[in-house]
Amino acid sequence: MYQEPQLLTWPRLASLVLMALIAATFGAERPMYRLGPGDSVNVYVLGKPETKVDALPIAPDGTISYQEVRVRIAGLTVPEARKQLEAALQKFERNVRVVLTPGGLGSKSYTILGNVPKQGRYILDHSITLLEALANAGGLSKESGQLGAVSERVNLDQSFLVRQGRKLAVDFTKLYAEGDTTQNITLQHQDHIYIASNLNEEYYVFGYVNNQGMQRIRPGLGVVGAITEQAGFSPAAWKGKVLLVRGSMTDPETIAIDVGDVLRAEQADVPIQAGDILYIHRKPWFHAETILD
């Protein structure tokens, strides 16, 4: 039967636009969390409340022990783990149905350091993007969310994200200044985010020292003094070469300093400048590019 087409009124158009925005924002599936040692799950057999176990820990070998079975669930999503446990229990009971839900999720994490209000380690208990992670850390500016305030306080060119020992090609300037969402990547376990400062009196010390982090420059401070102020080398540190990284991370200047030579007056100490990064490695190295990577 023929029906008159509905007129596209303004309320209906607004509704369609809103639905499209919601679909575009939430419609794409994100990677599901995968369980690992350090997590726990809540388990019971459907229809048998007496079988319920809360906060059942995943052992270091990635397994759980439940009733008569021991099942490896590390690396699986929650639905996959439920099916794995059901398959194991069906050897003892036909048509068994298991309810398995996340308990404590703590096996995966990421770290944010540098010029954010809340530095530290964050539990990665769900899929999260770089911008969401920075928002959780209090954002890039305490004063306002405007780029002007951010640029006064944060050096976007020198900020970086490290994954599995490699710096990713994430451009923080494009992400914030240009709104380039291709830079807004999804974080993974053990990602390290570093937000560099744009203030004139700060430098950074990383690696095998007793106290890593950001410090303020004082007049006459050199590399040796900077390490001393970080409570000195840790026992595993290699003192033969300290790497100083200066300038943009895309085109850095690298300077190698032998602390022993400085103390013997065979090499001049290098004065610390604003934004300098000192890295102390744990074993001998020959090419600065190796450590810089």
Side-chain angles (χ1 to χ4, degrees), residues 15 39 48 76 79 101 119 129 142 156 160 178 196 228 241 245-246 254 258 276 279 290:
S15 176
D39 294 336
K48 296 183 178 181
L76 303 181
T101 59
Q119 300 183 63
T129 66
K142 294 179 181 177
L156 295 174
F160 55 87
E178 303 174 17
T228 303
K241 282 185 182 178
V245 181
R246 179 171 290 168
T254 58
D258 187 319
D276 279 355
Y279 184 77
T290 304

mmCIF file with all atom_site columns, all heavy atoms in Angstrom, residues 15 39 48 76 79 101 119 129 142 156 160 178 196 228 241 245-246 254 258 276 279 290:
data_model
loop_
_atom_site.group_PDB
_atom_site.id
_atom_site.type_symbol
_atom_site.label_atom_id
_atom_site.label_alt_id
_atom_site.label_comp_id
_atom_site.label_asym_id
_atom_site.label_entity_id
_atom_site.label_seq_id
_atom_site.pdbx_PDB_ins_code
_atom_site.Cartn_x
_atom_site.Cartn_y
_atom_site.Cartn_z
_atom_site.occupancy
_atom_site.B_iso_or_equiv
_atom_site.pdbx_formal_charge
_atom_site.auth_seq_id
_atom_site.auth_comp_id
_atom_site.auth_asym_id
_atom_site.auth_atom_id
_atom_site.pdbx_PDB_model_num
ATOM 1   N N   . SER A 1 15  ? 17.192 14.738  15.186 1.00 0.00 ? 15  SER A N   1
ATOM 2   C CA  . SER A 1 15  ? 17.273 13.398  15.754 1.00 0.00 ? 15  SER A CA  1
ATOM 3   C C   . SER A 1 15  ? 18.181 12.495  14.931 1.00 0.00 ? 15  SER A C   1
ATOM 4   O O   . SER A 1 15  ? 18.995 11.739  15.472 1.00 0.00 ? 15  SER A O   1
ATOM 5   C CB  . SER A 1 15  ? 15.874 12.792  15.851 1.00 0.00 ? 15  SER A CB  1
ATOM 6   O OG  . SER A 1 15  ? 15.937 11.464  16.308 1.00 0.00 ? 15  SER A OG  1
ATOM 7   N N   . ASP A 1 39  ? 45.249 -10.371 37.418 1.00 0.00 ? 39  ASP A N   1
ATOM 8   C CA  . ASP A 1 39  ? 43.802 -10.142 37.382 1.00 0.00 ? 39  ASP A CA  1
ATOM 9   C C   . ASP A 1 39  ? 43.096 -11.203 38.222 1.00 0.00 ? 39  ASP A C   1
ATOM 10  O O   . ASP A 1 39  ? 43.675 -12.222 38.604 1.00 0.00 ? 39  ASP A O   1
ATOM 11  C CB  . ASP A 1 39  ? 43.281 -10.212 35.936 1.00 0.00 ? 39  ASP A CB  1
ATOM 12  C CG  . ASP A 1 39  ? 43.822 -9.092  35.070 1.00 0.00 ? 39  ASP A CG  1
ATOM 13  O OD1 . ASP A 1 39  ? 44.202 -8.042  35.624 1.00 0.00 ? 39  ASP A OD1 1
ATOM 14  O OD2 . ASP A 1 39  ? 43.868 -9.269  33.841 1.00 0.00 ? 39  ASP A OD2 1
ATOM 15  N N   . LYS A 1 48  ? 23.475 -22.760 40.205 1.00 0.00 ? 48  LYS A N   1
ATOM 16  C CA  . LYS A 1 48  ? 24.112 -23.321 41.404 1.00 0.00 ? 48  LYS A CA  1
ATOM 17  C C   . LYS A 1 48  ? 24.851 -22.206 42.143 1.00 0.00 ? 48  LYS A C   1
ATOM 18  O O   . LYS A 1 48  ? 26.069 -22.074 42.057 1.00 0.00 ? 48  LYS A O   1
ATOM 19  C CB  . LYS A 1 48  ? 25.095 -24.435 41.016 1.00 0.00 ? 48  LYS A CB  1
ATOM 20  C CG  . LYS A 1 48  ? 24.439 -25.643 40.370 1.00 0.00 ? 48  LYS A CG  1
ATOM 21  C CD  . LYS A 1 48  ? 25.459 -26.724 40.092 1.00 0.00 ? 48  LYS A CD  1
ATOM 22  C CE  . LYS A 1 48  ? 24.814 -27.962 39.488 1.00 0.00 ? 48  LYS A CE  1
ATOM 23  N NZ  . LYS A 1 48  ? 25.807 -29.037 39.236 1.00 0.00 ? 48  LYS A NZ  1
ATOM 24  N N   . LEU A 1 76  ? 43.133 -14.302 27.070 1.00 0.00 ? 76  LEU A N   1
ATOM 25  C CA  . LEU A 1 76  ? 41.775 -14.428 26.537 1.00 0.00 ? 76  LEU A CA  1
ATOM 26  C C   . LEU A 1 76  ? 40.914 -13.259 26.995 1.00 0.00 ? 76  LEU A C   1
ATOM 27  O O   . LEU A 1 76  ? 41.159 -12.656 28.043 1.00 0.00 ? 76  LEU A O   1
ATOM 28  C CB  . LEU A 1 76  ? 41.130 -15.738 27.005 1.00 0.00 ? 76  LEU A CB  1
ATOM 29  C CG  . LEU A 1 76  ? 41.860 -17.043 26.682 1.00 0.00 ? 76  LEU A CG  1
ATOM 30  C CD1 . LEU A 1 76  ? 41.052 -18.234 27.198 1.00 0.00 ? 76  LEU A CD1 1
ATOM 31  C CD2 . LEU A 1 76  ? 42.103 -17.180 25.187 1.00 0.00 ? 76  LEU A CD2 1
ATOM 32  N N   . PRO A 1 79  ? 34.626 -13.304 27.510 1.00 0.00 ? 79  PRO A N   1
ATOM 33  C CA  . PRO A 1 79  ? 33.789 -14.326 26.860 1.00 0.00 ? 79  PRO A CA  1
ATOM 34  C C   . PRO A 1 79  ? 34.584 -15.565 26.449 1.00 0.00 ? 79  PRO A C   1
ATOM 35  O O   . PRO A 1 79  ? 34.095 -16.691 26.574 1.00 0.00 ? 79  PRO A O   1
ATOM 36  C CB  . PRO A 1 79  ? 33.216 -13.599 25.631 1.00 0.00 ? 79  PRO A CB  1
ATOM 37  C CG  . PRO A 1 79  ? 33.259 -12.154 25.997 1.00 0.00 ? 79  PRO A CG  1
ATOM 38  C CD  . PRO A 1 79  ? 34.492 -11.993 26.825 1.00 0.00 ? 79  PRO A CD  1
ATOM 39  N N   . THR A 1 101 ? 32.759 -13.184 35.239 1.00 0.00 ? 101 THR A N   1
ATOM 40  C CA  . THR A 1 101 ? 32.846 -11.731 35.113 1.00 0.00 ? 101 THR A CA  1
ATOM 41  C C   . THR A 1 101 ? 34.196 -11.249 35.649 1.00 0.00 ? 101 THR A C   1
ATOM 42  O O   . THR A 1 101 ? 34.834 -11.941 36.452 1.00 0.00 ? 101 THR A O   1
ATOM 43  C CB  . THR A 1 101 ? 31.724 -11.030 35.907 1.00 0.00 ? 101 THR A CB  1
ATOM 44  O OG1 . THR A 1 101 ? 31.826 -11.406 37.293 1.00 0.00 ? 101 THR A OG1 1
ATOM 45  C CG2 . THR A 1 101 ? 30.354 -11.427 35.369 1.00 0.00 ? 101 THR A CG2 1
ATOM 46  N N   . GLN A 1 119 ? 50.935 12.485  37.650 1.00 0.00 ? 119 GLN A N   1
ATOM 47  C CA  . GLN A 1 119 ? 51.863 11.535  37.064 1.00 0.00 ? 119 GLN A CA  1
ATOM 48  C C   . GLN A 1 119 ? 51.700 10.166  37.716 1.00 0.00 ? 119 GLN A C   1
ATOM 49  O O   . GLN A 1 119 ? 51.218 10.056  38.836 1.00 0.00 ? 119 GLN A O   1
ATOM 50  C CB  . GLN A 1 119 ? 53.307 12.000  37.272 1.00 0.00 ? 119 GLN A CB  1
ATOM 51  C CG  . GLN A 1 119 ? 53.644 13.342  36.665 1.00 0.00 ? 119 GLN A CG  1
ATOM 52  C CD  . GLN A 1 119 ? 55.106 13.662  36.855 1.00 0.00 ? 119 GLN A CD  1
ATOM 53  O OE1 . GLN A 1 119 ? 55.978 12.970  36.354 1.00 0.00 ? 119 GLN A OE1 1
ATOM 54  N NE2 . GLN A 1 119 ? 55.394 14.736  37.589 1.00 0.00 ? 119 GLN A NE2 1
ATOM 55  N N   . THR A 1 129 ? 42.178 5.625   24.704 1.00 0.00 ? 129 THR A N   1
ATOM 56  C CA  . THR A 1 129 ? 42.990 6.347   23.722 1.00 0.00 ? 129 THR A CA  1
ATOM 57  C C   . THR A 1 129 ? 43.971 7.281   24.437 1.00 0.00 ? 129 THR A C   1
ATOM 58  O O   . THR A 1 129 ? 43.860 7.528   25.645 1.00 0.00 ? 129 THR A O   1
ATOM 59  C CB  . THR A 1 129 ? 42.117 7.174   22.777 1.00 0.00 ? 129 THR A CB  1
ATOM 60  O OG1 . THR A 1 129 ? 41.464 8.217   23.532 1.00 0.00 ? 129 THR A OG1 1
ATOM 61  C CG2 . THR A 1 129 ? 41.082 6.306   22.086 1.00 0.00 ? 129 THR A CG2 1
ATOM 62  N N   . LYS A 1 142 ? 46.870 23.141  33.666 1.00 0.00 ? 142 LYS A N   1
ATOM 63  C CA  . LYS A 1 142 ? 46.046 23.367  34.851 1.00 0.00 ? 142 LYS A CA  1
ATOM 64  C C   . LYS A 1 142 ? 45.165 24.603  34.694 1.00 0.00 ? 142 LYS A C   1
ATOM 65  O O   . LYS A 1 142 ? 44.132 24.723  35.328 1.00 0.00 ? 142 LYS A O   1
ATOM 66  C CB  . LYS A 1 142 ? 46.945 23.550  36.081 1.00 0.00 ? 142 LYS A CB  1
ATOM 67  C CG  . LYS A 1 142 ? 47.737 22.307  36.463 1.00 0.00 ? 142 LYS A CG  1
ATOM 68  C CD  . LYS A 1 142 ? 48.614 22.595  37.660 1.00 0.00 ? 142 LYS A CD  1
ATOM 69  C CE  . LYS A 1 142 ? 49.436 21.372  38.039 1.00 0.00 ? 142 LYS A CE  1
ATOM 70  N NZ  . LYS A 1 142 ? 50.359 21.641  39.165 1.00 0.00 ? 142 LYS A NZ  1
ATOM 71  N N   . LEU A 1 156 ? 55.196 20.350  23.193 1.00 0.00 ? 156 LEU A N   1
ATOM 72  C CA  . LEU A 1 156 ? 54.586 19.247  22.453 1.00 0.00 ? 156 LEU A CA  1
ATOM 73  C C   . LEU A 1 156 ? 55.585 18.581  21.513 1.00 0.00 ? 156 LEU A C   1
ATOM 74  O O   . LEU A 1 156 ? 55.527 17.367  21.305 1.00 0.00 ? 156 LEU A O   1
ATOM 75  C CB  . LEU A 1 156 ? 53.375 19.754  21.662 1.00 0.00 ? 156 LEU A CB  1
ATOM 76  C CG  . LEU A 1 156 ? 52.196 20.262  22.505 1.00 0.00 ? 156 LEU A CG  1
ATOM 77  C CD1 . LEU A 1 156 ? 51.135 20.874  21.601 1.00 0.00 ? 156 LEU A CD1 1
ATOM 78  C CD2 . LEU A 1 156 ? 51.596 19.157  23.342 1.00 0.00 ? 156 LEU A CD2 1
ATOM 79  N N   . PHE A 1 160 ? 56.654 12.527  23.945 1.00 0.00 ? 160 PHE A N   1
ATOM 80  C CA  . PHE A 1 160 ? 56.735 11.286  23.169 1.00 0.00 ? 160 PHE A CA  1
ATOM 81  C C   . PHE A 1 160 ? 56.021 10.141  23.876 1.00 0.00 ? 160 PHE A C   1
ATOM 82  O O   . PHE A 1 160 ? 55.690 10.228  25.066 1.00 0.00 ? 160 PHE A O   1
ATOM 83  C CB  . PHE A 1 160 ? 58.195 10.910  22.885 1.00 0.00 ? 160 PHE A CB  1
ATOM 84  C CG  . PHE A 1 160 ? 59.058 10.793  24.114 1.00 0.00 ? 160 PHE A CG  1
ATOM 85  C CD1 . PHE A 1 160 ? 59.139 9.603   24.820 1.00 0.00 ? 160 PHE A CD1 1
ATOM 86  C CD2 . PHE A 1 160 ? 59.808 11.882  24.555 1.00 0.00 ? 160 PHE A CD2 1
ATOM 87  C CE1 . PHE A 1 160 ? 59.946 9.495   25.950 1.00 0.00 ? 160 PHE A CE1 1
ATOM 88  C CE2 . PHE A 1 160 ? 60.604 11.772  25.688 1.00 0.00 ? 160 PHE A CE2 1
ATOM 89  C CZ  . PHE A 1 160 ? 60.680 10.579  26.383 1.00 0.00 ? 160 PHE A CZ  1
ATOM 90  N N   . GLU A 1 178 ? 46.337 20.709  15.771 1.00 0.00 ? 178 GLU A N   1
ATOM 91  C CA  . GLU A 1 178 ? 45.583 20.560  14.525 1.00 0.00 ? 178 GLU A CA  1
ATOM 92  C C   . GLU A 1 178 ? 44.383 19.640  14.656 1.00 0.00 ? 178 GLU A C   1
ATOM 93  O O   . GLU A 1 178 ? 43.626 19.484  13.700 1.00 0.00 ? 178 GLU A O   1
ATOM 94  C CB  . GLU A 1 178 ? 46.530 20.034  13.427 1.00 0.00 ? 178 GLU A CB  1
ATOM 95  C CG  . GLU A 1 178 ? 47.744 20.921  13.191 1.00 0.00 ? 178 GLU A CG  1
ATOM 96  C CD  . GLU A 1 178 ? 48.731 20.309  12.217 1.00 0.00 ? 178 GLU A CD  1
ATOM 97  O OE1 . GLU A 1 178 ? 48.346 19.375  11.485 1.00 0.00 ? 178 GLU A OE1 1
ATOM 98  O OE2 . GLU A 1 178 ? 49.896 20.760  12.195 1.00 0.00 ? 178 GLU A OE2 1
ATOM 99  N N   . ALA A 1 196 ? 56.744 16.708  27.885 1.00 0.00 ? 196 ALA A N   1
ATOM 100 C CA  . ALA A 1 196 ? 57.875 17.593  28.191 1.00 0.00 ? 196 ALA A CA  1
ATOM 101 C C   . ALA A 1 196 ? 57.384 18.978  28.585 1.00 0.00 ? 196 ALA A C   1
ATOM 102 O O   . ALA A 1 196 ? 56.308 19.428  28.185 1.00 0.00 ? 196 ALA A O   1
ATOM 103 C CB  . ALA A 1 196 ? 58.800 17.688  26.977 1.00 0.00 ? 196 ALA A CB  1
ATOM 104 N N   . THR A 1 228 ? 74.241 14.017  40.724 1.00 0.00 ? 228 THR A N   1
ATOM 105 C CA  . THR A 1 228 ? 74.376 14.025  42.187 1.00 0.00 ? 228 THR A CA  1
ATOM 106 C C   . THR A 1 228 ? 73.066 14.434  42.846 1.00 0.00 ? 228 THR A C   1
ATOM 107 O O   . THR A 1 228 ? 72.659 13.855  43.868 1.00 0.00 ? 228 THR A O   1
ATOM 108 C CB  . THR A 1 228 ? 75.500 14.985  42.603 1.00 0.00 ? 228 THR A CB  1
ATOM 109 O OG1 . THR A 1 228 ? 76.716 14.588  41.969 1.00 0.00 ? 228 THR A OG1 1
ATOM 110 C CG2 . THR A 1 228 ? 75.690 14.977  44.108 1.00 0.00 ? 228 THR A CG2 1
ATOM 111 N N   . LYS A 1 241 ? 79.692 6.523   30.007 1.00 0.00 ? 241 LYS A N   1
ATOM 112 C CA  . LYS A 1 241 ? 79.069 7.503   29.119 1.00 0.00 ? 241 LYS A CA  1
ATOM 113 C C   . LYS A 1 241 ? 77.670 7.824   29.626 1.00 0.00 ? 241 LYS A C   1
ATOM 114 O O   . LYS A 1 241 ? 76.851 6.932   29.820 1.00 0.00 ? 241 LYS A O   1
ATOM 115 C CB  . LYS A 1 241 ? 78.973 6.973   27.686 1.00 0.00 ? 241 LYS A CB  1
ATOM 116 C CG  . LYS A 1 241 ? 80.271 7.018   26.893 1.00 0.00 ? 241 LYS A CG  1
ATOM 117 C CD  . LYS A 1 241 ? 80.010 6.592   25.459 1.00 0.00 ? 241 LYS A CD  1
ATOM 118 C CE  . LYS A 1 241 ? 81.293 6.580   24.641 1.00 0.00 ? 241 LYS A CE  1
ATOM 119 N NZ  . LYS A 1 241 ? 81.032 6.122   23.252 1.00 0.00 ? 241 LYS A NZ  1
ATOM 120 N N   . VAL A 1 245 ? 70.566 14.526  25.753 1.00 0.00 ? 245 VAL A N   1
ATOM 121 C CA  . VAL A 1 245 ? 69.752 14.782  24.561 1.00 0.00 ? 245 VAL A CA  1
ATOM 122 C C   . VAL A 1 245 ? 69.230 16.209  24.658 1.00 0.00 ? 245 VAL A C   1
ATOM 123 O O   . VAL A 1 245 ? 68.607 16.587  25.655 1.00 0.00 ? 245 VAL A O   1
ATOM 124 C CB  . VAL A 1 245 ? 68.583 13.788  24.455 1.00 0.00 ? 245 VAL A CB  1
ATOM 125 C CG1 . VAL A 1 245 ? 67.771 14.055  23.186 1.00 0.00 ? 245 VAL A CG1 1
ATOM 126 C CG2 . VAL A 1 245 ? 69.101 12.351  24.465 1.00 0.00 ? 245 VAL A CG2 1
ATOM 127 N N   . ARG A 1 246 ? 69.463 16.986  23.610 1.00 0.00 ? 246 ARG A N   1
ATOM 128 C CA  . ARG A 1 246 ? 69.106 18.409  23.636 1.00 0.00 ? 246 ARG A CA  1
ATOM 129 C C   . ARG A 1 246 ? 68.393 18.773  22.348 1.00 0.00 ? 246 ARG A C   1
ATOM 130 O O   . ARG A 1 246 ? 68.785 18.334  21.268 1.00 0.00 ? 246 ARG A O   1
ATOM 131 C CB  . ARG A 1 246 ? 70.386 19.243  23.801 1.00 0.00 ? 246 ARG A CB  1
ATOM 132 C CG  . ARG A 1 246 ? 70.186 20.743  23.818 1.00 0.00 ? 246 ARG A CG  1
ATOM 133 C CD  . ARG A 1 246 ? 71.498 21.417  24.202 1.00 0.00 ? 246 ARG A CD  1
ATOM 134 N NE  . ARG A 1 246 ? 71.826 21.189  25.605 1.00 0.00 ? 246 ARG A NE  1
ATOM 135 C CZ  . ARG A 1 246 ? 73.025 21.476  26.144 1.00 0.00 ? 246 ARG A CZ  1
ATOM 136 N NH1 . ARG A 1 246 ? 73.987 21.980  25.391 1.00 0.00 ? 246 ARG A NH1 1
ATOM 137 N NH2 . ARG A 1 246 ? 73.225 21.251  27.432 1.00 0.00 ? 246 ARG A NH2 1
ATOM 138 N N   . THR A 1 254 ? 72.923 15.099  20.380 1.00 0.00 ? 254 THR A N   1
ATOM 139 C CA  . THR A 1 254 ? 73.317 14.151  21.414 1.00 0.00 ? 254 THR A CA  1
ATOM 140 C C   . THR A 1 254 ? 74.755 14.414  21.839 1.00 0.00 ? 254 THR A C   1
ATOM 141 O O   . THR A 1 254 ? 75.634 14.621  20.990 1.00 0.00 ? 254 THR A O   1
ATOM 142 C CB  . THR A 1 254 ? 73.187 12.696  20.926 1.00 0.00 ? 254 THR A CB  1
ATOM 143 O OG1 . THR A 1 254 ? 73.990 12.513  19.759 1.00 0.00 ? 254 THR A OG1 1
ATOM 144 C CG2 . THR A 1 254 ? 71.740 12.359  20.612 1.00 0.00 ? 254 THR A CG2 1
ATOM 145 N N   . ASP A 1 258 ? 81.688 11.409  29.743 1.00 0.00 ? 258 ASP A N   1
ATOM 146 C CA  . ASP A 1 258 ? 82.315 10.417  30.613 1.00 0.00 ? 258 ASP A CA  1
ATOM 147 C C   . ASP A 1 258 ? 82.488 11.073  31.983 1.00 0.00 ? 258 ASP A C   1
ATOM 148 O O   . ASP A 1 258 ? 83.311 11.989  32.147 1.00 0.00 ? 258 ASP A O   1
ATOM 149 C CB  . ASP A 1 258 ? 83.660 9.981   30.046 1.00 0.00 ? 258 ASP A CB  1
ATOM 150 C CG  . ASP A 1 258 ? 84.274 8.815   30.826 1.00 0.00 ? 258 ASP A CG  1
ATOM 151 O OD1 . ASP A 1 258 ? 84.185 8.822   32.071 1.00 0.00 ? 258 ASP A OD1 1
ATOM 152 O OD2 . ASP A 1 258 ? 84.832 7.908   30.192 1.00 0.00 ? 258 ASP A OD2 1
ATOM 153 N N   . ASP A 1 276 ? 66.840 19.887  28.687 1.00 0.00 ? 276 ASP A N   1
ATOM 154 C CA  . ASP A 1 276 ? 67.796 18.800  28.499 1.00 0.00 ? 276 ASP A CA  1
ATOM 155 C C   . ASP A 1 276 ? 67.273 17.500  29.111 1.00 0.00 ? 276 ASP A C   1
ATOM 156 O O   . ASP A 1 276 ? 66.576 17.514  30.138 1.00 0.00 ? 276 ASP A O   1
ATOM 157 C CB  . ASP A 1 276 ? 69.141 19.138  29.146 1.00 0.00 ? 276 ASP A CB  1
ATOM 158 C CG  . ASP A 1 276 ? 69.993 20.048  28.276 1.00 0.00 ? 276 ASP A CG  1
ATOM 159 O OD1 . ASP A 1 276 ? 69.578 20.325  27.138 1.00 0.00 ? 276 ASP A OD1 1
ATOM 160 O OD2 . ASP A 1 276 ? 71.075 20.466  28.736 1.00 0.00 ? 276 ASP A OD2 1
ATOM 161 N N   . TYR A 1 279 ? 70.255 10.669  30.124 1.00 0.00 ? 279 TYR A N   1
ATOM 162 C CA  . TYR A 1 279 ? 69.918 9.252   30.234 1.00 0.00 ? 279 TYR A CA  1
ATOM 163 C C   . TYR A 1 279 ? 71.158 8.470   30.630 1.00 0.00 ? 279 TYR A C   1
ATOM 164 O O   . TYR A 1 279 ? 72.200 8.564   29.981 1.00 0.00 ? 279 TYR A O   1
ATOM 165 C CB  . TYR A 1 279 ? 69.341 8.702   28.929 1.00 0.00 ? 279 TYR A CB  1
ATOM 166 C CG  . TYR A 1 279 ? 68.904 7.268   29.080 1.00 0.00 ? 279 TYR A CG  1
ATOM 167 C CD1 . TYR A 1 279 ? 67.716 6.956   29.735 1.00 0.00 ? 279 TYR A CD1 1
ATOM 168 C CD2 . TYR A 1 279 ? 69.696 6.231   28.612 1.00 0.00 ? 279 TYR A CD2 1
ATOM 169 C CE1 . TYR A 1 279 ? 67.326 5.639   29.916 1.00 0.00 ? 279 TYR A CE1 1
ATOM 170 C CE2 . TYR A 1 279 ? 69.307 4.904   28.788 1.00 0.00 ? 279 TYR A CE2 1
ATOM 171 C CZ  . TYR A 1 279 ? 68.121 4.621   29.441 1.00 0.00 ? 279 TYR A CZ  1
ATOM 172 O OH  . TYR A 1 279 ? 67.744 3.319   29.626 1.00 0.00 ? 279 TYR A OH  1
ATOM 173 N N   . THR A 1 290 ? 71.779 4.348   19.281 1.00 0.00 ? 290 THR A N   1
ATOM 174 C CA  . THR A 1 290 ? 71.260 3.130   19.900 1.00 0.00 ? 290 THR A CA  1
ATOM 175 C C   . THR A 1 290 ? 70.457 3.451   21.143 1.00 0.00 ? 290 THR A C   1
ATOM 176 O O   . THR A 1 290 ? 69.344 2.963   21.338 1.00 0.00 ? 290 THR A O   1
ATOM 177 C CB  . THR A 1 290 ? 72.430 2.188   20.270 1.00 0.00 ? 290 THR A CB  1
ATOM 178 O OG1 . THR A 1 290 ? 73.199 1.936   19.104 1.00 0.00 ? 290 THR A OG1 1
ATOM 179 C CG2 . THR A 1 290 ? 71.913 0.883   20.849 1.00 0.00 ? 290 THR A CG2 1
#
